[in-house]
Amino acid sequence: MQKIIIDTDPGQDDAVALLLALASPDALDVLGIVTVAGNVGLNQNSVNALKVVELSGRTEIPVFAGCDRPMRRTPVTAEHVHGKTGLDGPDLPDPKIALQDHHGVDFIMDTLLEAEPKTIKLCALGPLTNIAMALVRAPEIATRIKEIVLMGGGCFEGGNITPAAEFNIYVDPEAADIVLHCGAPITIVPLDVTHHMLATPAHLERFLNMGNKTGDAIHKMLTFSERFDLEKYQWQGAPLHDPCVIAYVLEPDIFTGRHINVEVEVSSELTRGMTVADFWGVTTRKANAHYLRHGDTKRYYELLVQRISKLP
Ligand code: BDR
Ligand code: CA
């Protein structure tokens, strides 16, 4: 059983990632879900997280609100992709469960400080503000983290919010910089992987045909969030980014990558948040991340469908 904390800004693809994790009680002990400002503002992201937890029926999982803005930058959001609520598509009921009183950053710090070292993985699906804040406030947690698995960045695929940068890293590049230099084992799931995990009409139909309300909600969510990417990329489907993080934790051999050096651009405005990935080893900079490069799309969707079909 793997213990994980999920840090997220749901987001339709975050929602599917949460549902994959919550559908896996045999393999994952989800200690808590922490929200962060990202796709939309913190309060709405928190409501969305509570709605998704209720949809899954796993209402015993605590949800904490984290930081409401990046460490140093003005917030940037993505309503143009995810809709006004960040989770447009299905009509999910207002949540009955509530947020925990504890701040999300305190939850991350305290949980890592109290647990056996190297027993907890952090799964980051949004800007890295909460995790960086926890590392700044309690640097000793770095050696206690088993692994940070994060969706963010890109190299071969360029960026998706600017030509150079991927959204999660762009929103809070200083946080990403802190995380990448913290010394904990890190796996990066970049656009280079997620741009090949396309939710084609055939995959979407599999969610619809699951016959459960979760599958129906996912079909509605992804049908909504696809509209923007389909026009943007003109591909057969939109990339389904964040569930790759949970899929990697569940079945790492779906993916392949290399241990390389990755740095984040924090100075330039033109390339703000760019991940400079030394994939070919052309510098002597020390490797600080396991950078995933390829994933098996068929196995990825198989895992999603097989597990999520067990939810209500
Ligand atoms: C990332 O940005 C967000 O909009 C998605 O939820 C994902 O985490 C992809 O660049
Ligand atoms: Ca996200």
Side-chain angles (χ1 to χ4, degrees), residues 1-5 21 24-31 119-121 123 146-147 149 245-252:
M1 184 71 77
Q2 305 192 64
K3 290 184 197 305
I4 63 168
I5 294 174
S24 307
D26 56 315
L28 301 179
D29 181 4
V30 182
L31 302 178
T119 53
I120 298 174
K121 293 188 179 182
C123 298
K146 184 165 189 193
E147 186 179 12
V149 185
V245 167
I246 307 297
Y248 174 75
V249 172
L250 285 168
E251 292 189 20

mmCIF file with all atom_site columns, all heavy atoms in Angstrom, residues 1-5 21 24-31 119-121 123 146-147 149 245-252:
data_model
loop_
_atom_site.group_PDB
_atom_site.id
_atom_site.type_symbol
_atom_site.label_atom_id
_atom_site.label_alt_id
_atom_site.label_comp_id
_atom_site.label_asym_id
_atom_site.label_entity_id
_atom_site.label_seq_id
_atom_site.pdbx_PDB_ins_code
_atom_site.Cartn_x
_atom_site.Cartn_y
_atom_site.Cartn_z
_atom_site.occupancy
_atom_site.B_iso_or_equiv
_atom_site.pdbx_formal_charge
_atom_site.auth_seq_id
_atom_site.auth_comp_id
_atom_site.auth_asym_id
_atom_site.auth_atom_id
_atom_site.pdbx_PDB_model_num
ATOM 1   N N   . MET A 1 1   ? 0.854   -1.207 0.000   1.00 0.00 ? 1   MET A N   1
ATOM 2   C CA  . MET A 1 1   ? 0.000   0.000  0.000   1.00 0.00 ? 1   MET A CA  1
ATOM 3   C C   . MET A 1 1   ? 0.883   1.249  0.000   1.00 0.00 ? 1   MET A C   1
ATOM 4   O O   . MET A 1 1   ? 1.738   1.391  0.855   1.00 0.00 ? 1   MET A O   1
ATOM 5   C CB  . MET A 1 1   ? -0.879  -0.046 1.258   1.00 0.00 ? 1   MET A CB  1
ATOM 6   C CG  . MET A 1 1   ? -1.869  1.063  1.379   1.00 0.00 ? 1   MET A CG  1
ATOM 7   S SD  . MET A 1 1   ? -3.242  0.961  0.218   1.00 0.00 ? 1   MET A SD  1
ATOM 8   C CE  . MET A 1 1   ? -4.249  -0.302 0.981   1.00 0.00 ? 1   MET A CE  1
ATOM 9   N N   . GLN A 1 2   ? 0.670   2.127  -0.949  1.00 0.00 ? 2   GLN A N   1
ATOM 10  C CA  . GLN A 1 2   ? 1.481   3.347  -1.019  1.00 0.00 ? 2   GLN A CA  1
ATOM 11  C C   . GLN A 1 2   ? 0.716   4.524  -0.416  1.00 0.00 ? 2   GLN A C   1
ATOM 12  O O   . GLN A 1 2   ? -0.448  4.744  -0.748  1.00 0.00 ? 2   GLN A O   1
ATOM 13  C CB  . GLN A 1 2   ? 1.792   3.694  -2.473  1.00 0.00 ? 2   GLN A CB  1
ATOM 14  C CG  . GLN A 1 2   ? 2.460   2.595  -3.266  1.00 0.00 ? 2   GLN A CG  1
ATOM 15  C CD  . GLN A 1 2   ? 2.979   3.153  -4.581  1.00 0.00 ? 2   GLN A CD  1
ATOM 16  O OE1 . GLN A 1 2   ? 3.855   3.996  -4.592  1.00 0.00 ? 2   GLN A OE1 1
ATOM 17  N NE2 . GLN A 1 2   ? 2.439   2.679  -5.688  1.00 0.00 ? 2   GLN A NE2 1
ATOM 18  N N   . LYS A 1 3   ? 1.386   5.275  0.443   1.00 0.00 ? 3   LYS A N   1
ATOM 19  C CA  . LYS A 1 3   ? 0.763   6.450  1.048   1.00 0.00 ? 3   LYS A CA  1
ATOM 20  C C   . LYS A 1 3   ? 1.041   7.668  0.158   1.00 0.00 ? 3   LYS A C   1
ATOM 21  O O   . LYS A 1 3   ? 2.195   7.927  -0.189  1.00 0.00 ? 3   LYS A O   1
ATOM 22  C CB  . LYS A 1 3   ? 1.369   6.725  2.419   1.00 0.00 ? 3   LYS A CB  1
ATOM 23  C CG  . LYS A 1 3   ? 1.014   5.705  3.484   1.00 0.00 ? 3   LYS A CG  1
ATOM 24  C CD  . LYS A 1 3   ? 1.606   6.186  4.806   1.00 0.00 ? 3   LYS A CD  1
ATOM 25  C CE  . LYS A 1 3   ? 1.681   5.108  5.849   1.00 0.00 ? 3   LYS A CE  1
ATOM 26  N NZ  . LYS A 1 3   ? 0.438   4.436  6.156   1.00 0.00 ? 3   LYS A NZ  1
ATOM 27  N N   . ILE A 1 4   ? -0.031  8.390  -0.181  1.00 0.00 ? 4   ILE A N   1
ATOM 28  C CA  . ILE A 1 4   ? 0.158   9.576  -1.028  1.00 0.00 ? 4   ILE A CA  1
ATOM 29  C C   . ILE A 1 4   ? -0.645  10.767 -0.500  1.00 0.00 ? 4   ILE A C   1
ATOM 30  O O   . ILE A 1 4   ? -1.667  10.608 0.165   1.00 0.00 ? 4   ILE A O   1
ATOM 31  C CB  . ILE A 1 4   ? -0.243  9.323  -2.513  1.00 0.00 ? 4   ILE A CB  1
ATOM 32  C CG1 . ILE A 1 4   ? -1.740  9.005  -2.655  1.00 0.00 ? 4   ILE A CG1 1
ATOM 33  C CG2 . ILE A 1 4   ? 0.580   8.206  -3.131  1.00 0.00 ? 4   ILE A CG2 1
ATOM 34  C CD1 . ILE A 1 4   ? -2.232  9.034  -4.112  1.00 0.00 ? 4   ILE A CD1 1
ATOM 35  N N   . ILE A 1 5   ? -0.132  11.955 -0.818  1.00 0.00 ? 5   ILE A N   1
ATOM 36  C CA  . ILE A 1 5   ? -0.893  13.203 -0.640  1.00 0.00 ? 5   ILE A CA  1
ATOM 37  C C   . ILE A 1 5   ? -1.041  13.782 -2.040  1.00 0.00 ? 5   ILE A C   1
ATOM 38  O O   . ILE A 1 5   ? -0.058  13.830 -2.800  1.00 0.00 ? 5   ILE A O   1
ATOM 39  C CB  . ILE A 1 5   ? -0.140  14.200 0.265   1.00 0.00 ? 5   ILE A CB  1
ATOM 40  C CG1 . ILE A 1 5   ? -0.034  13.659 1.692   1.00 0.00 ? 5   ILE A CG1 1
ATOM 41  C CG2 . ILE A 1 5   ? -0.841  15.570 0.259   1.00 0.00 ? 5   ILE A CG2 1
ATOM 42  C CD1 . ILE A 1 5   ? 0.837   14.516 2.623   1.00 0.00 ? 5   ILE A CD1 1
ATOM 43  N N   . ALA A 1 21  ? -7.195  7.773  -8.283  1.00 0.00 ? 21  ALA A N   1
ATOM 44  C CA  . ALA A 1 21  ? -6.591  7.470  -6.980  1.00 0.00 ? 21  ALA A CA  1
ATOM 45  C C   . ALA A 1 21  ? -7.641  6.949  -6.000  1.00 0.00 ? 21  ALA A C   1
ATOM 46  O O   . ALA A 1 21  ? -7.410  5.959  -5.291  1.00 0.00 ? 21  ALA A O   1
ATOM 47  C CB  . ALA A 1 21  ? -5.925  8.721  -6.419  1.00 0.00 ? 21  ALA A CB  1
ATOM 48  N N   . SER A 1 24  ? -8.694  3.369  -6.142  1.00 0.00 ? 24  SER A N   1
ATOM 49  C CA  . SER A 1 24  ? -7.613  2.389  -5.968  1.00 0.00 ? 24  SER A CA  1
ATOM 50  C C   . SER A 1 24  ? -7.280  2.131  -4.496  1.00 0.00 ? 24  SER A C   1
ATOM 51  O O   . SER A 1 24  ? -6.101  2.190  -4.107  1.00 0.00 ? 24  SER A O   1
ATOM 52  C CB  . SER A 1 24  ? -6.363  2.886  -6.705  1.00 0.00 ? 24  SER A CB  1
ATOM 53  O OG  . SER A 1 24  ? -6.667  3.194  -8.043  1.00 0.00 ? 24  SER A OG  1
ATOM 54  N N   . PRO A 1 25  ? -8.295  1.824  -3.667  1.00 0.00 ? 25  PRO A N   1
ATOM 55  C CA  . PRO A 1 25  ? -8.008  1.660  -2.235  1.00 0.00 ? 25  PRO A CA  1
ATOM 56  C C   . PRO A 1 25  ? -7.141  0.433  -1.936  1.00 0.00 ? 25  PRO A C   1
ATOM 57  O O   . PRO A 1 25  ? -6.564  0.324  -0.860  1.00 0.00 ? 25  PRO A O   1
ATOM 58  C CB  . PRO A 1 25  ? -9.402  1.505  -1.604  1.00 0.00 ? 25  PRO A CB  1
ATOM 59  C CG  . PRO A 1 25  ? -10.286 1.079  -2.710  1.00 0.00 ? 25  PRO A CG  1
ATOM 60  C CD  . PRO A 1 25  ? -9.716  1.631  -3.981  1.00 0.00 ? 25  PRO A CD  1
ATOM 61  N N   . ASP A 1 26  ? -7.046  -0.469 -2.898  1.00 0.00 ? 26  ASP A N   1
ATOM 62  C CA  . ASP A 1 26  ? -6.194  -1.649 -2.714  1.00 0.00 ? 26  ASP A CA  1
ATOM 63  C C   . ASP A 1 26  ? -4.708  -1.287 -2.811  1.00 0.00 ? 26  ASP A C   1
ATOM 64  O O   . ASP A 1 26  ? -3.854  -1.993 -2.279  1.00 0.00 ? 26  ASP A O   1
ATOM 65  C CB  . ASP A 1 26  ? -6.523  -2.691 -3.802  1.00 0.00 ? 26  ASP A CB  1
ATOM 66  C CG  . ASP A 1 26  ? -6.368  -2.089 -5.203  1.00 0.00 ? 26  ASP A CG  1
ATOM 67  O OD1 . ASP A 1 26  ? -6.854  -0.947 -5.412  1.00 0.00 ? 26  ASP A OD1 1
ATOM 68  O OD2 . ASP A 1 26  ? -5.735  -2.714 -6.066  1.00 0.00 ? 26  ASP A OD2 1
ATOM 69  N N   . ALA A 1 27  ? -4.412  -0.189 -3.495  1.00 0.00 ? 27  ALA A N   1
ATOM 70  C CA  . ALA A 1 27  ? -3.010  0.150  -3.779  1.00 0.00 ? 27  ALA A CA  1
ATOM 71  C C   . ALA A 1 27  ? -2.574  1.475  -3.172  1.00 0.00 ? 27  ALA A C   1
ATOM 72  O O   . ALA A 1 27  ? -1.396  1.675  -2.887  1.00 0.00 ? 27  ALA A O   1
ATOM 73  C CB  . ALA A 1 27  ? -2.797  0.200  -5.292  1.00 0.00 ? 27  ALA A CB  1
ATOM 74  N N   . LEU A 1 28  ? -3.528  2.395  -2.988  1.00 0.00 ? 28  LEU A N   1
ATOM 75  C CA  . LEU A 1 28  ? -3.172  3.745  -2.551  1.00 0.00 ? 28  LEU A CA  1
ATOM 76  C C   . LEU A 1 28  ? -3.901  4.125  -1.268  1.00 0.00 ? 28  LEU A C   1
ATOM 77  O O   . LEU A 1 28  ? -5.129  3.992  -1.184  1.00 0.00 ? 28  LEU A O   1
ATOM 78  C CB  . LEU A 1 28  ? -3.521  4.771  -3.637  1.00 0.00 ? 28  LEU A CB  1
ATOM 79  C CG  . LEU A 1 28  ? -2.849  4.596  -4.994  1.00 0.00 ? 28  LEU A CG  1
ATOM 80  C CD1 . LEU A 1 28  ? -3.322  5.688  -5.953  1.00 0.00 ? 28  LEU A CD1 1
ATOM 81  C CD2 . LEU A 1 28  ? -1.334  4.615  -4.859  1.00 0.00 ? 28  LEU A CD2 1
ATOM 82  N N   . ASP A 1 29  ? -3.133  4.597  -0.300  1.00 0.00 ? 29  ASP A N   1
ATOM 83  C CA  . ASP A 1 29  ? -3.709  5.175  0.904   1.00 0.00 ? 29  ASP A CA  1
ATOM 84  C C   . ASP A 1 29  ? -3.620  6.696  0.729   1.00 0.00 ? 29  ASP A C   1
ATOM 85  O O   . ASP A 1 29  ? -2.542  7.273  0.884   1.00 0.00 ? 29  ASP A O   1
ATOM 86  C CB  . ASP A 1 29  ? -2.877  4.685  2.111   1.00 0.00 ? 29  ASP A CB  1
ATOM 87  C CG  . ASP A 1 29  ? -3.407  5.212  3.421   1.00 0.00 ? 29  ASP A CG  1
ATOM 88  O OD1 . ASP A 1 29  ? -4.460  5.884  3.415   1.00 0.00 ? 29  ASP A OD1 1
ATOM 89  O OD2 . ASP A 1 29  ? -2.753  4.954  4.456   1.00 0.00 ? 29  ASP A OD2 1
ATOM 90  N N   . VAL A 1 30  ? -4.743  7.297  0.342   1.00 0.00 ? 30  VAL A N   1
ATOM 91  C CA  . VAL A 1 30  ? -4.744  8.748  0.091   1.00 0.00 ? 30  VAL A CA  1
ATOM 92  C C   . VAL A 1 30  ? -4.889  9.453  1.442   1.00 0.00 ? 30  VAL A C   1
ATOM 93  O O   . VAL A 1 30  ? -5.980  9.485  2.021   1.00 0.00 ? 30  VAL A O   1
ATOM 94  C CB  . VAL A 1 30  ? -5.875  9.154  -0.885  1.00 0.00 ? 30  VAL A CB  1
ATOM 95  C CG1 . VAL A 1 30  ? -5.822  10.654 -1.177  1.00 0.00 ? 30  VAL A CG1 1
ATOM 96  C CG2 . VAL A 1 30  ? -5.794  8.359  -2.182  1.00 0.00 ? 30  VAL A CG2 1
ATOM 97  N N   . LEU A 1 31  ? -3.790  10.011 1.944   1.00 0.00 ? 31  LEU A N   1
ATOM 98  C CA  . LEU A 1 31  ? -3.802  10.611 3.288   1.00 0.00 ? 31  LEU A CA  1
ATOM 99  C C   . LEU A 1 31  ? -4.584  11.916 3.300   1.00 0.00 ? 31  LEU A C   1
ATOM 100 O O   . LEU A 1 31  ? -5.134  12.303 4.328   1.00 0.00 ? 31  LEU A O   1
ATOM 101 C CB  . LEU A 1 31  ? -2.375  10.865 3.761   1.00 0.00 ? 31  LEU A CB  1
ATOM 102 C CG  . LEU A 1 31  ? -1.459  9.634  3.807   1.00 0.00 ? 31  LEU A CG  1
ATOM 103 C CD1 . LEU A 1 31  ? -0.056  10.046 4.244   1.00 0.00 ? 31  LEU A CD1 1
ATOM 104 C CD2 . LEU A 1 31  ? -2.017  8.577  4.752   1.00 0.00 ? 31  LEU A CD2 1
ATOM 105 N N   . THR A 1 119 ? 8.114   7.387  3.492   1.00 0.00 ? 119 THR A N   1
ATOM 106 C CA  . THR A 1 119 ? 6.941   6.524  3.318   1.00 0.00 ? 119 THR A CA  1
ATOM 107 C C   . THR A 1 119 ? 5.833   7.219  2.521   1.00 0.00 ? 119 THR A C   1
ATOM 108 O O   . THR A 1 119 ? 4.842   6.589  2.177   1.00 0.00 ? 119 THR A O   1
ATOM 109 C CB  . THR A 1 119 ? 6.352   6.098  4.690   1.00 0.00 ? 119 THR A CB  1
ATOM 110 O OG1 . THR A 1 119 ? 6.113   7.270  5.472   1.00 0.00 ? 119 THR A OG1 1
ATOM 111 C CG2 . THR A 1 119 ? 7.284   5.156  5.427   1.00 0.00 ? 119 THR A CG2 1
ATOM 112 N N   . ILE A 1 120 ? 5.996   8.523  2.258   1.00 0.00 ? 120 ILE A N   1
ATOM 113 C CA  . ILE A 1 120 ? 4.889   9.265  1.630   1.00 0.00 ? 120 ILE A CA  1
ATOM 114 C C   . ILE A 1 120 ? 5.326   9.879  0.304   1.00 0.00 ? 120 ILE A C   1
ATOM 115 O O   . ILE A 1 120 ? 6.366   10.535 0.220   1.00 0.00 ? 120 ILE A O   1
ATOM 116 C CB  . ILE A 1 120 ? 4.373   10.378 2.573   1.00 0.00 ? 120 ILE A CB  1
ATOM 117 C CG1 . ILE A 1 120 ? 3.831   9.749  3.868   1.00 0.00 ? 120 ILE A CG1 1
ATOM 118 C CG2 . ILE A 1 120 ? 3.279   11.211 1.881   1.00 0.00 ? 120 ILE A CG2 1
ATOM 119 C CD1 . ILE A 1 120 ? 3.436   10.759 4.920   1.00 0.00 ? 120 ILE A CD1 1
ATOM 120 N N   . LYS A 1 121 ? 4.499   9.670  -0.716  1.00 0.00 ? 121 LYS A N   1
ATOM 121 C CA  . LYS A 1 121 ? 4.741   10.309 -2.012  1.00 0.00 ? 121 LYS A CA  1
ATOM 122 C C   . LYS A 1 121 ? 3.810   11.513 -2.149  1.00 0.00 ? 121 LYS A C   1
ATOM 123 O O   . LYS A 1 121 ? 2.640   11.445 -1.759  1.00 0.00 ? 121 LYS A O   1
ATOM 124 C CB  . LYS A 1 121 ? 4.442   9.337  -3.163  1.00 0.00 ? 121 LYS A CB  1
ATOM 125 C CG  . LYS A 1 121 ? 5.408   8.169  -3.222  1.00 0.00 ? 121 LYS A CG  1
ATOM 126 C CD  . LYS A 1 121 ? 5.209   7.335  -4.470  1.00 0.00 ? 121 LYS A CD  1
ATOM 127 C CE  . LYS A 1 121 ? 6.223   6.197  -4.477  1.00 0.00 ? 121 LYS A CE  1
ATOM 128 N NZ  . LYS A 1 121 ? 6.139   5.359  -5.672  1.00 0.00 ? 121 LYS A NZ  1
ATOM 129 N N   . CYS A 1 123 ? 1.907   13.786 -4.807  1.00 0.00 ? 123 CYS A N   1
ATOM 130 C CA  . CYS A 1 123 ? 1.470   13.776 -6.207  1.00 0.00 ? 123 CYS A CA  1
ATOM 131 C C   . CYS A 1 123 ? 0.983   15.184 -6.527  1.00 0.00 ? 123 CYS A C   1
ATOM 132 O O   . CYS A 1 123 ? -0.048  15.623 -5.992  1.00 0.00 ? 123 CYS A O   1
ATOM 133 C CB  . CYS A 1 123 ? 0.321   12.786 -6.396  1.00 0.00 ? 123 CYS A CB  1
ATOM 134 S SG  . CYS A 1 123 ? 0.804   11.095 -6.018  1.00 0.00 ? 123 CYS A SG  1
ATOM 135 N N   . LYS A 1 146 ? 9.238   10.421 0.159   1.00 0.00 ? 146 LYS A N   1
ATOM 136 C CA  . LYS A 1 146 ? 9.648   9.251  -0.623  1.00 0.00 ? 146 LYS A CA  1
ATOM 137 C C   . LYS A 1 146 ? 9.882   9.647  -2.085  1.00 0.00 ? 146 LYS A C   1
ATOM 138 O O   . LYS A 1 146 ? 10.871  9.291  -2.697  1.00 0.00 ? 146 LYS A O   1
ATOM 139 C CB  . LYS A 1 146 ? 8.580   8.150  -0.526  1.00 0.00 ? 146 LYS A CB  1
ATOM 140 C CG  . LYS A 1 146 ? 8.986   6.890  -1.230  1.00 0.00 ? 146 LYS A CG  1
ATOM 141 C CD  . LYS A 1 146 ? 8.134   5.719  -0.832  1.00 0.00 ? 146 LYS A CD  1
ATOM 142 C CE  . LYS A 1 146 ? 8.734   4.449  -1.408  1.00 0.00 ? 146 LYS A CE  1
ATOM 143 N NZ  . LYS A 1 146 ? 7.825   3.326  -1.323  1.00 0.00 ? 146 LYS A NZ  1
ATOM 144 N N   . GLU A 1 147 ? 8.940   10.397 -2.627  1.00 0.00 ? 147 GLU A N   1
ATOM 145 C CA  . GLU A 1 147 ? 9.067   10.850 -4.017  1.00 0.00 ? 147 GLU A CA  1
ATOM 146 C C   . GLU A 1 147 ? 8.043   11.964 -4.265  1.00 0.00 ? 147 GLU A C   1
ATOM 147 O O   . GLU A 1 147 ? 6.953   11.943 -3.693  1.00 0.00 ? 147 GLU A O   1
ATOM 148 C CB  . GLU A 1 147 ? 8.780   9.680  -4.978  1.00 0.00 ? 147 GLU A CB  1
ATOM 149 C CG  . GLU A 1 147 ? 9.035   10.010 -6.439  1.00 0.00 ? 147 GLU A CG  1
ATOM 150 C CD  . GLU A 1 147 ? 8.767   8.812  -7.372  1.00 0.00 ? 147 GLU A CD  1
ATOM 151 O OE1 . GLU A 1 147 ? 8.182   7.808  -6.921  1.00 0.00 ? 147 GLU A OE1 1
ATOM 152 O OE2 . GLU A 1 147 ? 9.148   8.916  -8.552  1.00 0.00 ? 147 GLU A OE2 1
ATOM 153 N N   . VAL A 1 149 ? 5.967   13.253 -7.406  1.00 0.00 ? 149 VAL A N   1
ATOM 154 C CA  . VAL A 1 149 ? 5.625   12.979 -8.802  1.00 0.00 ? 149 VAL A CA  1
ATOM 155 C C   . VAL A 1 149 ? 4.767   14.153 -9.262  1.00 0.00 ? 149 VAL A C   1
ATOM 156 O O   . VAL A 1 149 ? 3.701   14.404 -8.679  1.00 0.00 ? 149 VAL A O   1
ATOM 157 C CB  . VAL A 1 149 ? 4.846   11.655 -8.952  1.00 0.00 ? 149 VAL A CB  1
ATOM 158 C CG1 . VAL A 1 149 ? 4.618   11.335 -10.433 1.00 0.00 ? 149 VAL A CG1 1
ATOM 159 C CG2 . VAL A 1 149 ? 5.589   10.505 -8.271  1.00 0.00 ? 149 VAL A CG2 1
ATOM 160 N N   . VAL A 1 245 ? 0.049   11.160 -13.514 1.00 0.00 ? 245 VAL A N   1
ATOM 161 C CA  . VAL A 1 245 ? 0.799   11.139 -12.252 1.00 0.00 ? 245 VAL A CA  1
ATOM 162 C C   . VAL A 1 245 ? 0.363   9.924  -11.415 1.00 0.00 ? 245 VAL A C   1
ATOM 163 O O   . VAL A 1 245 ? 1.190   9.175  -10.898 1.00 0.00 ? 245 VAL A O   1
ATOM 164 C CB  . VAL A 1 245 ? 0.572   12.463 -11.474 1.00 0.00 ? 245 VAL A CB  1
ATOM 165 C CG1 . VAL A 1 245 ? 1.065   12.360 -10.039 1.00 0.00 ? 245 VAL A CG1 1
ATOM 166 C CG2 . VAL A 1 245 ? 1.249   13.611 -12.202 1.00 0.00 ? 245 VAL A CG2 1
ATOM 167 N N   . ILE A 1 246 ? -0.931  9.757  -11.296 1.00 0.00 ? 246 ILE A N   1
ATOM 168 C CA  . ILE A 1 246 ? -1.438  8.643  -10.483 1.00 0.00 ? 246 ILE A CA  1
ATOM 169 C C   . ILE A 1 246 ? -1.161  7.308  -11.192 1.00 0.00 ? 246 ILE A C   1
ATOM 170 O O   . ILE A 1 246 ? -0.797  6.319  -10.551 1.00 0.00 ? 246 ILE A O   1
ATOM 171 C CB  . ILE A 1 246 ? -2.962  8.812  -10.211 1.00 0.00 ? 246 ILE A CB  1
ATOM 172 C CG1 . ILE A 1 246 ? -3.258  10.196 -9.605  1.00 0.00 ? 246 ILE A CG1 1
ATOM 173 C CG2 . ILE A 1 246 ? -3.473  7.683  -9.310  1.00 0.00 ? 246 ILE A CG2 1
ATOM 174 C CD1 . ILE A 1 246 ? -2.635  10.468 -8.257  1.00 0.00 ? 246 ILE A CD1 1
ATOM 175 N N   . ALA A 1 247 ? -1.298  7.314  -12.511 1.00 0.00 ? 247 ALA A N   1
ATOM 176 C CA  . ALA A 1 247 ? -0.998  6.084  -13.270 1.00 0.00 ? 247 ALA A CA  1
ATOM 177 C C   . ALA A 1 247 ? 0.459   5.692  -13.061 1.00 0.00 ? 247 ALA A C   1
ATOM 178 O O   . ALA A 1 247 ? 0.771   4.501  -12.898 1.00 0.00 ? 247 ALA A O   1
ATOM 179 C CB  . ALA A 1 247 ? -1.282  6.306  -14.758 1.00 0.00 ? 247 ALA A CB  1
ATOM 180 N N   . TYR A 1 248 ? 1.344   6.678  -13.010 1.00 0.00 ? 248 TYR A N   1
ATOM 181 C CA  . TYR A 1 248 ? 2.771   6.379  -12.797 1.00 0.00 ? 248 TYR A CA  1
ATOM 182 C C   . TYR A 1 248 ? 2.987   5.774  -11.407 1.00 0.00 ? 248 TYR A C   1
ATOM 183 O O   . TYR A 1 248 ? 3.767   4.833  -11.236 1.00 0.00 ? 248 TYR A O   1
ATOM 184 C CB  . TYR A 1 248 ? 3.619   7.642  -12.957 1.00 0.00 ? 248 TYR A CB  1
ATOM 185 C CG  . TYR A 1 248 ? 5.060   7.402  -12.603 1.00 0.00 ? 248 TYR A CG  1
ATOM 186 C CD1 . TYR A 1 248 ? 5.907   6.701  -13.465 1.00 0.00 ? 248 TYR A CD1 1
ATOM 187 C CD2 . TYR A 1 248 ? 5.576   7.815  -11.371 1.00 0.00 ? 248 TYR A CD2 1
ATOM 188 C CE1 . TYR A 1 248 ? 7.221   6.433  -13.115 1.00 0.00 ? 248 TYR A CE1 1
ATOM 189 C CE2 . TYR A 1 248 ? 6.889   7.553  -11.018 1.00 0.00 ? 248 TYR A CE2 1
ATOM 190 C CZ  . TYR A 1 248 ? 7.702   6.864  -11.892 1.00 0.00 ? 248 TYR A CZ  1
ATOM 191 O OH  . TYR A 1 248 ? 8.996   6.589  -11.537 1.00 0.00 ? 248 TYR A OH  1
ATOM 192 N N   . VAL A 1 249 ? 2.292   6.300  -10.415 1.00 0.00 ? 249 VAL A N   1
ATOM 193 C CA  . VAL A 1 249 ? 2.444   5.768  -9.053  1.00 0.00 ? 249 VAL A CA  1
ATOM 194 C C   . VAL A 1 249 ? 1.896   4.341  -8.985  1.00 0.00 ? 249 VAL A C   1
ATOM 195 O O   . VAL A 1 249 ? 2.483   3.467  -8.350  1.00 0.00 ? 249 VAL A O   1
ATOM 196 C CB  . VAL A 1 249 ? 1.737   6.702  -8.029  1.00 0.00 ? 249 VAL A CB  1
ATOM 197 C CG1 . VAL A 1 249 ? 1.711   6.083  -6.646  1.00 0.00 ? 249 VAL A CG1 1
ATOM 198 C CG2 . VAL A 1 249 ? 2.440   8.058  -7.987  1.00 0.00 ? 249 VAL A CG2 1
ATOM 199 N N   . LEU A 1 250 ? 0.802   4.106  -9.696  1.00 0.00 ? 250 LEU A N   1
ATOM 200 C CA  . LEU A 1 250 ? 0.192   2.767  -9.660  1.00 0.00 ? 250 LEU A CA  1
ATOM 201 C C   . LEU A 1 250 ? 0.974   1.759  -10.503 1.00 0.00 ? 250 LEU A C   1
ATOM 202 O O   . LEU A 1 250 ? 1.201   0.629  -10.079 1.00 0.00 ? 250 LEU A O   1
ATOM 203 C CB  . LEU A 1 250 ? -1.247  2.842  -10.202 1.00 0.00 ? 250 LEU A CB  1
ATOM 204 C CG  . LEU A 1 250 ? -2.305  3.460  -9.290  1.00 0.00 ? 250 LEU A CG  1
ATOM 205 C CD1 . LEU A 1 250 ? -3.580  3.725  -10.078 1.00 0.00 ? 250 LEU A CD1 1
ATOM 206 C CD2 . LEU A 1 250 ? -2.591  2.550  -8.088  1.00 0.00 ? 250 LEU A CD2 1
ATOM 207 N N   . GLU A 1 251 ? 1.334   2.164  -11.713 1.00 0.00 ? 251 GLU A N   1
ATOM 208 C CA  . GLU A 1 251 ? 2.004   1.242  -12.640 1.00 0.00 ? 251 GLU A CA  1
ATOM 209 C C   . GLU A 1 251 ? 3.139   1.969  -13.368 1.00 0.00 ? 251 GLU A C   1
ATOM 210 O O   . GLU A 1 251 ? 2.990   2.379  -14.523 1.00 0.00 ? 251 GLU A O   1
ATOM 211 C CB  . GLU A 1 251 ? 0.992   0.687  -13.664 1.00 0.00 ? 251 GLU A CB  1
ATOM 212 C CG  . GLU A 1 251 ? -0.027  -0.220 -13.023 1.00 0.00 ? 251 GLU A CG  1
ATOM 213 C CD  . GLU A 1 251 ? -0.913  -0.957 -14.035 1.00 0.00 ? 251 GLU A CD  1
ATOM 214 O OE1 . GLU A 1 251 ? -0.534  -1.087 -15.221 1.00 0.00 ? 251 GLU A OE1 1
ATOM 215 O OE2 . GLU A 1 251 ? -1.997  -1.391 -13.616 1.00 0.00 ? 251 GLU A OE2 1
ATOM 216 N N   . PRO A 1 252 ? 4.280   2.122  -12.665 1.00 0.00 ? 252 PRO A N   1
ATOM 217 C CA  . PRO A 1 252 ? 5.361   2.939  -13.248 1.00 0.00 ? 252 PRO A CA  1
ATOM 218 C C   . PRO A 1 252 ? 5.846   2.425  -14.600 1.00 0.00 ? 252 PRO A C   1
ATOM 219 O O   . PRO A 1 252 ? 6.319   3.217  -15.428 1.00 0.00 ? 252 PRO A O   1
ATOM 220 C CB  . PRO A 1 252 ? 6.480   2.868  -12.198 1.00 0.00 ? 252 PRO A CB  1
ATOM 221 C CG  . PRO A 1 252 ? 6.053   1.893  -11.168 1.00 0.00 ? 252 PRO A CG  1
ATOM 222 C CD  . PRO A 1 252 ? 4.592   1.660  -11.305 1.00 0.00 ? 252 PRO A CD  1
#
